[in-house]
Amino acid sequence: MAEKDFTIVVVGGGMCGLAIATALLRAGIETHVFEAAPKFDEIGAGIGLGPNAVAALRGLGVLDDVLSKADPPRLAMRPYTFVTGKGNHEHIFDYALSADEQGLSIYRPIFLDALVPIIDAKYTHFDKRAVSVSTTPSGKHVVKFHDNTSVEADLIIGADGIKSTTREFVAGPHPDKHLRYVNTSTYRGLVSISALKKDGVKTDLTKPLLWMGMKKHVVTYPIRGNELLNVGAAVSTSFTTSPPATDSWVERSVPAKEMFDAYDDWGKDIKIILSHIKDPSRWMMHVVDPPLEHYVKENVVLVGDAAHAMVPHLSAGVGQGFEDAYVLYRLLIHPQTSAKNLQSVLRIYDTIRPPRATMVQRESVRMGRLYHGFGPGAGGNTVKQTQEQLNGIWNPVWYHDLEKEVDQHLNRFYSHGGKL
Ligand SMILES: Cc1cc2nc3c(=O)[nH]c(=O)nc-3n(C[C@H](O)[C@H](O)[C@H](O)COP(=O)(O)OP(=O)(O)OC[C@H]3O[C@@H](n4cnc5c(N)ncnc54)[C@H](O)[C@@H]3O)c2cc1C
């Protein structure tokens, strides 16, 4: 292991926790992951990664591992086509790409297939649900777990998702204070594309589609080499937000009729697609709101949904988490980073990350409103208005030179003798 004079614990082994832990361990820095579940697990659904997410994975040194498990095993950017949900699914807009974008749509579990084997089992600890984080008199941190065990470290990376415990240490002790329900449920499922064709779907399902309407939209894109269609069907009851729901936020198997009825007034192809989802999961969409101004307190740092859970309307949530992981990784592996300057180095992370992730959170909300405001209903946008607003919507998310930004901060910091 590399000679760092500080110890690291990652709380939570989702995609973001695993990304940072794998990269640090590969760099030879001892890092232990404590996960609440009995094993690493991801839901069986697809996930879209834009060029910024791909660049972050490349910078973390894990892109080739992920690609080796992807089907097809190469980068492919396929832009969305926007169509109407109602009627005959008329064309609204083709999102234009420049030539050199590189993205990826993957089946989420392959991320685990790619990364988990890289981590030596002695660095992973399961059935460890963190219940609190505190500071010792010597300035270290203690994470306590539900089974009355605890671990002490110099640096705690909170990657424990939207219901984060580590967020309480960073942002204050009221668990619900930063969480809102966005009055939207998303039904998710995977469907065989050949079965849909057999049942008469005319729309070309081999390209990513965004089906728009009033207060609802559906996202579909193919995964596993055009074999399966990933479906996310979002239904809003209002554009306002509410306190967090007291019911379970994710139901693995809900009656398909509930989802089907919500799209009763939509066109034929979408109805066929939804009729093929026999046991949809339902996600009550929650976000971190208001956005956190800081992701760092003392030597506890938040990454991923723990810091900035957002609505998925720009497919940007995990990409922002990978950006967090990349920035943190670069700061920590720097040869001059040590226990002595760790808090100053973390302040660099806290300068770079919150403004950008907050911008992406806000843009994602704006896009949800656009997707759900299409059509002739009260206040609905016309095709022309929609085209204008969709044009370039991913630009601020996809195009940002994070590597250069980190380089500049590190150069400035270390050329001033490690002082901010
Ligand atoms: C419907 C939907 C579609 C989406 N589509 C996209 C998309 O296409 N592209 C995109 O970029 N993003 C998308 N997202 C967002 C993306 O799923 C999240 O941003 C991402 O999964 C967050 O990863 P994470 O590792 O931060 O958190 P999580 O995946 O939530 O992982 C947190 C981990 O921490 C563990 N944990 C929780 N609490 C504790 C505790 N107290 N102690 C120890 N461990 C704990 C959990 O068991 C889990 O393993 C979508 C989200 C939704 C809901």
Side-chain angles (χ1 to χ4, degrees), residues 11-17 34-37 42 46-49 108 128-130 159-163 165 186 188 221 283 285 303-306 312 315-319:
V11 179
M15 290 173 89
C16 298
F34 290 80
E35 164 58 46
E42 262 301 331
I47 193 155
L49 305 177
R108 282 177 185 246
K128 292 288 176 190
R129 176 167 293 283
D160 47 347
I162 188 163
K163 290 186 177 174
T165 296
T186 298
R188 306 173 85 178
Y221 57 84
W283 297 60
M285 309 303 305
V303 300
D305 277 13
S315 305
V318 87

Side-chain angles (χ1 to χ4, degrees), residues 40-333:
F40 295 124
D41 200 11
E42 262 301 331
I43 59 149
I47 193 155
L49 305 177
N52 63 310
V54 166
L57 289 178
R58 186 180 285 116
L60 286 161
V62 298
L63 179 63
D64 287 343
D65 302 286
V66 175
L67 278 178
S68 73
K69 301 286 177 189
D71 185 4
R74 60 180 175 276
L75 295 171
M77 197 70 197
R78 290 183 297 177
Y80 275 102
T81 292
F82 295 78
V83 297
T84 63
K86 283 189 172 183
N88 290 321
H89 311 304
E90 286 88 11
H91 177 265
I92 299 173
F93 185 67
D94 283 318
Y95 195 80
L97 293 181
S98 62
D100 55 356
E101 280 134 341
Q102 295 191 312
L104 189 61
S105 298
I106 55 167
Y107 183 56
R108 282 177 185 246
I110 69 118
F111 194 82
L112 304 187
D113 296 346
L115 265 54
V116 171
I118 299 171
I119 305 180
D120 190 316
K122 69 181 179 211
Y123 299 117
T124 55
H125 311 269
F126 296 106
D127 286 316
K128 292 288 176 190
R129 176 167 293 283
V131 291
S132 70
V133 179
S134 57
T135 313
T136 69
S138 66
K140 285 182 180 263
H141 293 290
V142 177
V143 182
K144 284 202 173 132
F145 300 102
H146 72 304
D147 59 0
N148 286 326
T149 59
S150 62
V151 64
E152 194 175 285
D154 297 294
L155 171 63
I156 309 293
I157 301 176
D160 47 347
I162 188 163
K163 290 186 177 174
S164 170
T165 296
T166 52
R167 189 192 305 126
E168 288 176 47
F169 181 86
V170 174
H174 310 293
D176 288 351
K177 198 173 84 175
H178 290 280
L179 289 178
R180 299 289 289 175
Y181 172 49
V182 297
N183 292 313
T184 301
S185 288
T186 298
Y187 299 91
R188 306 173 85 178
L190 293 172
V191 187
S192 151
I193 291 183
S194 60
L196 292 171
K197 278 194 196 145
K198 245 187 237 157
D199 259 13
V201 171
K202 298 274 181 300
T203 309
D204 177 7
L205 299 176
T206 60
K207 55 185 180 184
L209 292 164
L210 211 142
W211 317 63
M212 299 174 80
M214 277 305 275
K215 291 199 174 165
K216 53 199 173 206
H217 76 268
V218 176
V219 173
T220 59
Y221 57 84
I223 55 171
R224 291 227 195 119
N226 290 345
E227 180 197 329
L228 291 176
L229 190 70
N230 183 73
V231 184
V235 182
S236 288
T237 51
S238 94
F239 285 141
T240 58
T241 65
S242 313
T246 47
D247 304 346
S248 171
W249 294 4
V250 181
E251 290 286 341
R252 293 277 163 167
S253 225
V254 298
K257 187 174 179 316
E258 176 186 316
M259 170 186 68
F260 201 70
D261 287 352
Y263 289 86
D264 193 31
D265 56 340
W266 274 32
K268 188 170 167 230
D269 281 1
I270 211 75
K271 283 186 174 163
I272 297 174
I273 293 169
L274 296 181
S275 73
H276 275 248
I277 304 177
K278 301 299 176 211
D279 55 349
S281 54
R282 184 188 57 213
W283 297 60
M284 296 180 81
M285 309 303 305
H286 286 75
V287 294
V288 171
D289 183 55
L292 302 188
E293 286 175 27
H294 297 285
Y295 297 168
V296 177
K297 185 176 154 194
E298 298 171 21
N299 286 357
V300 180
V301 50
L302 303 177
V303 300
D305 277 13
H308 44 61
M310 61 186 76
V311 286
H313 305 318
L314 280 175
S315 305
V318 87
Q320 285 308 296
F322 292 158
E323 287 193 12
D324 299 337
Y326 169 73
V327 173
L328 195 53
Y329 163 75
R330 285 284 316 279
L331 298 174
L332 295 177
I333 63 165

